[in-house]
Amino acid sequence: MRKNFGANPWMYPMPVLIVAAYDEEGKANAMNAAWGGMYDSNLVQLCLSAGHKTTKNIKAKGAFTVSFGDAEHVVACDYVGIASGNSTPDKVEKAGFTTVKSQFVDAPIICELPMSFECKLVRFTEEGNIIGEIVNINADERILGNDGLIDVDKLRPITYDGIHKEYRVVGEKVGKAFSDGNQLK
C-alpha cells in the first residue's frame, strides 16, 4: 500500500548550499540555499528569490561561490539561512565564518566550509533562477582521500530533509555507480 501526499518540494537528497557573493562595497554576504544543484556538467542552478541580498550581490558582481554545508558547521549554515543580509549586514561574521577572495572570480570563499564551487554568472532564467558556470572547485586538503580527490566521508556534507525540517549527514556507500548495474546485463 502507498500513501499520497500531494505536491510538495520533498526532493532527496536536498543539498545544503551556502551561496556567497560580495556587495558593491566588497562586503561578503552568504545565504543557505537548499534549492539548487547541477544544471549541466559545468553549470549550477540556484533558485533564489530576487529579494535576497545575495541575489542582488550576484547581479551586481556577476560572480558567486557555492560551498557545501557540512556537519561540523550546521549551526552556522542554518544561521545564514534564517538571518537576512538585508537587515543583518554582519551575518557572515556572526555565523563565525571568515572569507578570502577567490582567485578565479570576484566572490568570497568561506574558509570554514571545506569545499566550494567558484562561479561566474551566466544568466538569470525567465523564472528568476540563477545559472552559473563553475570556473573552479577548491577543497581544503583535510577532506582529500589517499587518491588526492574529495572524500565524502571526510567532507560530511549535510542535506535538508524538507519533510521533517532537519539536516542529515550524507551516509554510507552502498554501491558503485556505472558499475553495479552491469550485473543485470
Side-chain angles (χ1 to χ4, degrees):
M1 192 78 182
R2 297 177 69 96
K3 181 177 179 178
N4 294 317
F5 289 97
N8 285 289
W10 294 349
M11 179 70 70
Y12 282 109
M14 182 84 71
V16 175
L17 306 174
I18 307 302
V19 182
Y22 289 125
D23 66 14
E24 294 84 359
E25 287 81 44
K27 180 147 180 67
N29 185 62
M31 67 173 288
N32 182 323
W35 290 14
M38 296 303 300
Y39 182 72
D40 201 345
S41 62
N42 66 333
L43 301 174
V44 294
Q45 180 169 341
L46 303 171
C47 181
L48 309 180
S49 71
H52 288 297
K53 175 75 171 160
T54 304
T55 304
K56 296 171 192 171
N57 292 348
I58 293 169
K59 282 183 179 178
K61 290 292 190 172
F64 58 97
T65 59
V66 178
S67 298
F68 293 85
D70 65 356
E72 184 179 346
H73 300 97
V74 68
V75 171
C77 290
D78 190 56
Y79 175 75
V80 297
I82 60 177
S84 171
N86 291 315
S87 57
T88 311
D90 59 344
K91 76 176 189 173
V92 170
E93 294 83 6
K94 283 186 173 182
F97 287 149
T98 57
T99 63
V100 296
K101 186 178 184 306
S102 163
Q103 296 176 16
F104 299 92
V105 297
D106 189 12
I109 295 172
I110 298 173
C111 300
E112 290 74 17
L113 299 177
M115 181 181 170
S116 300
F117 290 172
E118 298 164 72
C119 303
K120 69 177 182 179
L121 176 64
V122 173
R123 72 178 187 279
F124 280 83
T125 67
E126 60 184 60
E127 295 86 14
N129 292 343
I130 297 166
I131 308 295
E133 177 186 358
I134 301 168
V135 176
N136 184 53
I137 298 172
N138 71 71
D140 189 301
E141 290 182 356
R142 67 185 162 95
I143 65 163
L144 302 182
N146 293 335
D147 59 1
L149 300 173
I150 294 161
D151 181 332
V152 71
D153 292 326
K154 291 180 179 181
L155 174 59
R156 298 193 67 221
I158 55 176
T159 63
Y160 172 64
D161 172 355
I163 297 172
H164 300 100
K165 308 236 182 313
E166 297 174 339
Y167 295 111
R168 311 286 297 196
V169 175
V170 173
E172 68 183 290
K173 175 184 168 185
V174 295
K176 186 74 174 158
F178 304 102
S179 176
D180 288 353
N182 287 324
Q183 298 174 46
L184 302 178
K185 284 188 171 182

